[in-house]
Structure formats: C-alpha cells, structure tokens
Amino acid sequence: MAASLALITFGITGCGSEEAAKIEQPAPVEISALDVGGYSTTPRTLGKQNIDRARLTEGQRLGNYLPTPFEVDSRFKFQSGLSSNSVYGFIERIYTVGDTFAEDAPGFVGGFYSWAQTHEDILVAEILSNTAMVFDSEASATAAADALARSQRARKEGRVSASIPGYADGHAFWDPARQELFTVKAHKQIVLYSIIKDSAKIEVGTTDLNAMSTLATKNWATVQPRIEKFDPTPVDKLVDTEIDHDQLLSYSLSRQGEESQKNPPGIYNKQGALHISTRPESDKKIFESAGVEWLGINATELYQTKDAKGAELLSEEHSALNKTLRSADSPKGLPAARCDELKVKDSFTMRFHCTVAYDRYVIEARSNQLIDAHQRISAQYAMLAAKAK
C-alpha cells in the first residue's frame, strides 16, 4: 500500500531556524544525559519540494478536510492508528482501487485513505473505507470515476449494479456473497471511492442491501460538503506549496532504514489528526479541549497544542492505561515520560508506546522494542530543546 518514498523525501538544505519562540521546560532535564541511540537530534530546514513529494503533500492536505468514518456514523469507533499497514497520503496505487489504477486514472495528483470498523474484531465488524483522490481537472476526475467503476465491476464475479440514493451521477456495485457495497463518485476535481463491508452478516448468512445503501448515502452526504471547502492546488504550483507549519516537521525526528516505507511523513491539522487516532470518539473531544493545532508524523508523533496546559491534558489522556496496557519503564533521564506495553501480542500494533509533554508540544513514540521507544522519545525531546535555544 505504501507510496514509494524514494522520490518524495524532504528537501533538506541546512539546520533549522534559531528564531523560534522560547520554550520553557516543564522540568529540569539534562539533555546530554539522554540516550538518543542513532537518531539525529539536529533540526532541518525543509527545502522546496520535488513534484512527487508535493503531490503527496496535496493528498495529505486533503485529509485535513475529510470526515472520519466515526463522524459519518458513530458506530465506527475503531480505527487502525499508526499500524504498519496504514497509509493515509499516497501517490501510487492503493490496494482498494485495483491493479489498473494507473491506466484508469490519468491526471491523478494525490490521495488520502481513511477507514474504520464497528467492532474491535474485524471478523465480525462492519467496515467503512474512503479513498479520496485529487485530479488535475474536473474532466480528469469524471473520466477516472467512470473508468474505476468499469474496472471494479469486472474485478470480481458476482457483483451487480445497484441504485443508491444520492448517487445518480455516480456508480455503485453490490456483492451479496461478500456483503460488500462499492461506490465511486466524482465531485469537481475529487473522486471518492468507498467500500462498505459487513463481515458479521457473512458469518450468519444474511444480507441487507438497504442498510448498506443508507450508509453509503449518509457517507456521501457527510463527505461532500467537506470536500467543497478543499481548494486543489494548480498542478504548476504544487512544488511551491509549503510542506511545514510552525517548523513542526523541521523539528520532527527522522526515520531510519526501512521504516521510511511506512505511512509517509507529513503534517496534519486537528481534523487530519483524527484520521490517525485509534480512538476518534474520545480524541475528537480531547483535541478540542487541548487546542490541538498540528500533528507531525515522522519517527514520532509530534503534536502542537495551543499552550502548555493543553499539552499536559493531551499527554495525560494519551498515556492513560486500560485493560490492554500495562505500565513500562520510563527512559533514563526523562522520568516525566510515561510508557506502556501491550499485554497481548498484536501484529498490527507496536508493543511499546511512550508519551511526554514539552511546553505546548506532546511527543508520542512507538516501537516493538522498549529501548527504541526510549531513544525515539529522548531524541525528539532533545530536538525540541534545541528549538528552545
């Protein structure tokens, strides 16, 4: 699923600016004593984007406008978060849209993928996924929607055309054996490609197209006014767009090795950050109360809130233990960081997670090794300390 990051790396031209506002440390920390492993703590200045990185940025920016599945229907409470198979921004084929995407979608710029389910167990859950794609013109978007629909119709046997309220100028296909409803619709320069699947009904051998049709109509009614507010960047202006906000990505911890092939680095506003949450129901409220402004995704998650009080609130909420987590040791020299460990092995979720607040920022680090989680959060903390000087 992942976009090829070899072509979309950050343009790095030097050290970060020293003009950032002074950050007051919440507690004395000896930065030189922190174990940062092999992670670089030198800030970066992000140079001008190349075209592929700019296309990815455009797709990620689209995510700042899209509603989460939870906002479409409050039953969709369970999201994947930053698991290794999650891709939000993309510029290449994503598995949901099939093998002929490149042929079907000339003029494609960038996209954003979001999904959630109604139950923790995917085998009995109903799933809603939205793949939104930006095109270089309305004509390209309309042609791509038609072509993607034709390919999807031919992709699997047993699919039949369906009539969905609100989709008169779109396409819908119903697969009763798989309890799956596929819809694709163009609106201006955006194509929305959605899949609804009900695994529970497969298990019990029942069908309910009416319920799925109702959800599809509700999904479009929620998405359409949001993408109305999205103003696509002209293709010839893409490389001139800003990749960063408030130097958040400049001071984000860089990834190492193969990790660069996972969900691409990027920056999201409060709405975009909700797509990456594992608990959108509670985080929607917490983000409001904490005043979340931006979320930078790289080797850590780096939140910027309105003030230090908001950061403490978010850090406290995101470090709270539950029935699936137990406490783990804090990093050496950083006792304010709170770490936890999954009680049960989960191949889709990192085993260890650490959180700490620093002035108006919250750092979250994840890894399958506790020492690596410690080094990540320590290195990110050291970078923020550099921002304060």
Side-chain angles (χ1 to χ4, degrees), residues 91 113 184-185 219 284 336 343:
I91 61 170
Y113 174 73
V184 60
K185 186 177 176 69
N219 184 50
K284 186 172 177 61
K343 292 180 180 179

Side-chain angles (χ1 to χ4, degrees), residues 221-375:
T222 308
V223 170
Q224 190 269 337
R226 299 286 191 93
I227 59 178
E228 280 279 359
K229 299 177 181 179
F230 178 78
D231 186 17
T233 305
V235 174
D236 61 350
K237 302 293 185 184
L238 281 171
V239 296
D240 296 322
T241 57
E242 291 293 330
I243 189 175
D244 205 355
H245 293 279
D246 296 341
Q247 295 186 305
L248 198 65
L249 281 184
S250 298
Y251 282 83
S252 68
L253 189 68
S254 295
R255 297 173 178 177
Q256 297 180 336
E258 295 181 358
E259 187 182 3
S260 64
Q261 299 302 313
K262 298 179 182 179
N263 181 41
I267 192 165
Y268 299 93
N269 66 10
K270 180 172 59 180
Q271 177 61 33
L274 279 176
H275 289 280
I276 298 166
S277 168
T278 57
R279 41 193 171 188
E281 182 177 23
S282 58
D283 269 351
K284 186 172 177 61
K285 301 173 184 176
I286 294 167
F287 287 0
E288 288 288 343
S289 299
V292 169
E293 296 174 344
W294 298 104
L295 166 63
I297 297 295
N298 209 339
T300 63
E301 297 139 68
L302 182 57
Y303 290 90
Q304 178 178 299
T305 65
K306 62 182 179 180
D307 54 31
K309 184 177 179 181
E312 287 292 345
L313 171 62
L314 180 60
S315 178
E316 182 177 349
E317 293 290 341
H318 277 197
S319 62
L321 299 178
N322 56 42
K323 63 181 180 181
T324 67
L325 301 172
R326 58 173 163 248
S327 180
D329 291 339
S330 296
K332 177 184 176 182
L334 196 58
R338 286 164 285 190
C339 298
D340 54 67
E341 177 186 6
L342 280 176
K343 292 180 180 179
V344 179
K345 185 178 180 180
D346 183 344
S347 59
F348 294 105
T349 305
M350 293 294 183
R351 180 179 172 186
F352 295 99
H353 163 251
C354 296
T355 306
V356 70
Y358 184 98
D359 192 62
R360 63 189 295 207
Y361 301 94
V362 174
I363 308 167
E364 295 195 55
R366 303 174 193 274
S367 179
N368 283 319
Q369 301 295 326
L370 182 59
I371 183 63
D372 184 49
H374 283 175
Q375 290 173 345

Side-chain angles (χ1 to χ4, degrees), residues 21-210:
K22 184 76 174 177
I23 299 174
E24 182 181 352
Q25 294 188 46
V29 172
E30 182 57 52
I31 300 301
S32 62
L34 296 178
D35 178 10
V36 302
Y39 291 99
S40 172
T41 59
T42 303
R44 307 174 305 281
T45 293
L46 304 183
K48 187 173 182 177
Q49 302 179 84
N50 61 39
I51 185 60
D52 286 325
R53 174 63 234 194
R55 289 173 56 207
L56 175 60
T57 299
E58 186 78 349
Q60 292 173 326
R61 190 171 71 86
L62 179 58
N64 291 335
Y65 292 81
L66 291 174
T68 63
F70 174 77
E71 292 171 285
V72 173
D73 188 313
S74 60
R75 295 178 301 130
F76 292 93
K77 299 179 180 180
F78 302 94
Q79 293 184 168
S80 60
L82 289 172
S83 59
S84 60
N85 66 341
S86 297
V87 171
Y88 302 96
F90 67 96
I91 61 170
E92 294 184 347
R93 180 184 68 84
I94 191 169
Y95 83 100
T96 55
V97 294
D99 297 330
T100 60
F101 178 66
E103 295 81 1
D104 292 337
F108 169 65
V109 176
F112 189 85
Y113 174 73
S114 178
W115 74 280
Q117 57 198 53
T118 57
H119 192 278
E120 289 179 297
D121 186 350
I122 196 170
L123 297 179
V124 295
E126 188 172 359
I127 301 166
L128 170 61
S129 70
N130 282 320
T131 305
M133 294 163 279
V134 187
F135 284 80
D136 59 9
S137 68
E138 292 187 24
S140 294
T142 300
D146 293 343
L148 288 169
R150 287 193 300 269
S151 294
Q152 189 63 219
R153 174 67 180 86
R155 188 179 176 189
K156 293 180 180 177
E157 296 181 1
R159 287 195 170 179
V160 297
S161 297
S163 178
I164 307 297
Y167 276 81
D169 57 343
H171 308 270
F173 301 107
W174 162 240
D175 187 334
R178 295 182 176 86
Q179 279 295 290
E180 192 173 52
L181 179 64
F182 154 79
T183 61
V184 60
K185 186 177 176 69
H187 182 72
K188 297 183 178 180
Q189 289 178 234
I190 308 296
V191 172
L192 183 72
Y193 186 110
S194 304
I195 298 175
I196 298 168
K197 185 171 183 178
D198 194 332
S199 300
K201 288 187 173 59
I202 297 175
E203 291 294 316
V204 299
T206 62
T207 63
D208 193 346
L209 176 57
N210 287 336

